[in-house]
């Protein structure tokens, strides 16, 4: 078992210093409570504002931001998930969207650090949401990878990705028992954390942690509503609209029990599904 912490907070767009202070404070509190990992929202260190980031963020500053985040993990001895833009390497947009031109093509990424500040997992967002994201970023193509983190097989998606059952199932079939999801979900989409996240956890029988922004940033009003769902679809932790630090115990035994009771993963028929999608 591992105590997981989830940060829900309001970021200041392009105010990296303020946002890193928020993460540092949360990491200190989470570590003091005995948590092994702190999950933070999508693009939190720079704030969620795709078009402003595209126009104003100098990619040369990103390595320094990453090093400071590694320092926070190292200082407090806690694992950390953060999300930042990253210059895409060899990625091509496949959805006809306009690619960012100012600094080349960018992805939205998430990084998992261990308690020494070392990177152990990276993921780039595949499904972009809304016109602003499509103008500022390109969607990646690599599937979610899985690593062993504190004894739990762990993977990541970002925001809109988790709303696609195929993406979560891809992590589960690669062995994931814990899925970490930084997000930036606007008000008005309450069914995503309240219904969909729990359904994803249940149907792929893994723990899902979903960390959202709160308050107003740039042109966005965020829902809050961060949640942690168990592999049976149970609600392990849930936030309201305000800034908070959630805690939930996650582990492997509940995953094994759920998969033994109802063998969704073992009894899948992927040989059939492909033909169904193509109408054969």
């Amino acid at each position: 078992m591992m105590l997981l912490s989830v940060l829900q907070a309001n970021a200041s767009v392009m105010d990296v210093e303020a946002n890193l202070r928020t993460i540092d404070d949360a990491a200190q509190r989470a570590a003091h409570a005995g948590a092994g990992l702190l999950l933070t929202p999508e693009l939190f260190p720079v704030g969620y504002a795709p078009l402003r980031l595209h126009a104003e963020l100098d990619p040369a500053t990103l390595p320094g931001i990453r090093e400071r985040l590694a320092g926070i993990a190292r200082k407090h001895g806690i694992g950390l998930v953060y999300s930042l833009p990253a210059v895409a390497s060899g990625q091509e947009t496949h959805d006809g969207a306009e690619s960012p031109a100012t600094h080349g093509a960018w992805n939205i990424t998430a990084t998992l650090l261990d308690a020494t500040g070392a990177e152990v997992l990276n993921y780039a967002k595949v499904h972009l949401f809304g016109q602003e994201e499509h103008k500022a970023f390109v969607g990646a193509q690599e599937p979610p990878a899985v690593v062993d983190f504190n004894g739990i097989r762990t993977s990541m998606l970002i925001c809109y990705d988790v709303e696609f059952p195929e993406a979560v199932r891809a992590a589960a079939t690669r062995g994931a028992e814990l899925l970490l999801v930084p997000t930036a979900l606007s008000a008005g989409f309450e069914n995503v954390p309240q219904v969909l996240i729990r359904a994803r956890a249940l149907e792929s029988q893994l723990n899902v942690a979903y960390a959202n922004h709160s308050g107003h940033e740039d042109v966005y009003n965020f829902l809050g509503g961060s949640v942690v769902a168990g592999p049976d679809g149970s609600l392990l932790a849930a936030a309201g609209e305000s800034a908070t630090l959630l805690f939930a115990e996650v582990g492997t035994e509940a995953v094994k029990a759920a998969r033994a009771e109802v063998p969704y993963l073992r009894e899948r028929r992927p040989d059939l599904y492909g033909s169904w999608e193509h109408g054969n």
Side-chain angles (χ1 to χ4, degrees):
M1 295 289 288
M2 177 181 68
L3 184 63
L4 168 72
S5 54
V6 176
L7 174 64
Q8 176 172 293
N10 181 234
S12 298
V13 175
M14 295 300 299
D15 190 344
V16 173
E17 295 299 324
N19 299 332
L20 292 185
R21 284 195 298 271
T22 299
I23 294 174
D24 183 74
D25 175 69
Q28 181 180 32
R29 289 186 288 142
H32 183 74
L37 176 65
L38 172 65
L39 172 64
T40 66
E42 182 180 14
L43 296 175
F44 191 87
V46 291
Y48 184 87
L51 294 183
R52 281 194 61 189
L53 296 180
H54 178 216
E56 300 174 27
L57 183 63
D58 181 355
T61 64
L62 291 170
I65 297 172
R66 292 177 179 274
E67 180 50 44
R68 292 182 64 186
L69 287 159
I72 290 172
R74 192 162 48 243
K75 177 173 70 171
H76 299 295
I78 190 171
L80 176 65
V81 172
Y82 65 81
S83 170
L84 279 173
V87 176
S89 57
Q91 296 285 358
E92 294 181 358
T93 180
H94 57 280
D95 53 11
E98 178 186 350
S99 296
T102 305
H103 304 303
W106 285 7
N107 295 137
I108 299 174
T109 69
T111 299
L112 170 62
L113 305 177
D114 67 16
T116 73
E119 293 186 8
V120 295
L121 185 61
N122 288 285
Y123 173 77
K125 189 174 185 177
V126 171
H127 302 91
L128 302 177
F129 182 81
Q131 293 185 0
E132 290 201 2
E133 282 195 9
H134 280 285
K135 289 177 180 178
F137 301 102
V138 294
Q141 299 182 37
E142 292 300 313
V146 179
V147 296
D148 189 290
F149 185 82
N150 289 2
I152 303 172
R153 299 292 290 166
T154 301
S155 188
M156 294 189 296
L157 294 174
I158 300 174
C159 197
Y160 194 38
D161 285 327
V162 78
E163 299 181 37
F164 292 81
E166 298 88 348
V168 180
R169 186 54 57 83
T173 57
R174 286 167 170 79
E177 299 163 319
L178 171 62
L179 186 63
L180 304 169
V181 188
T183 194
L185 184 72
S186 296
F189 293 95
E190 288 81 1
N191 278 343
V192 174
Q194 294 175 11
V195 178
L196 191 148
I197 297 301
R198 296 175 69 178
R200 292 291 170 269
L202 173 62
E203 70 194 6
S204 285
Q205 298 170 313
L206 39 60
N207 299 285
V208 180
Y210 185 78
N212 195 21
H213 297 247
S214 63
H216 182 79
E217 296 172 34
D218 196 51
V219 298
Y220 296 94
N221 287 308
F222 289 106
L223 174 67
S226 301
V227 295
V228 183
D232 59 355
S234 61
L235 196 61
L236 303 181
E241 296 180 358
S242 302
T244 190
L245 191 62
L246 293 180
F247 291 93
E249 291 273 2
V250 296
T252 61
E253 291 306 313
V255 172
K256 292 174 183 176
R259 292 177 179 178
E261 182 176 12
V262 183
Y264 288 137
L265 298 180
R266 191 170 71 245
E267 294 186 347
R268 292 169 60 246
R269 299 287 303 277
D271 53 319
L272 293 180
Y273 307 150
S275 65
W276 288 357
E277 286 193 4
H278 293 92
N280 297 330

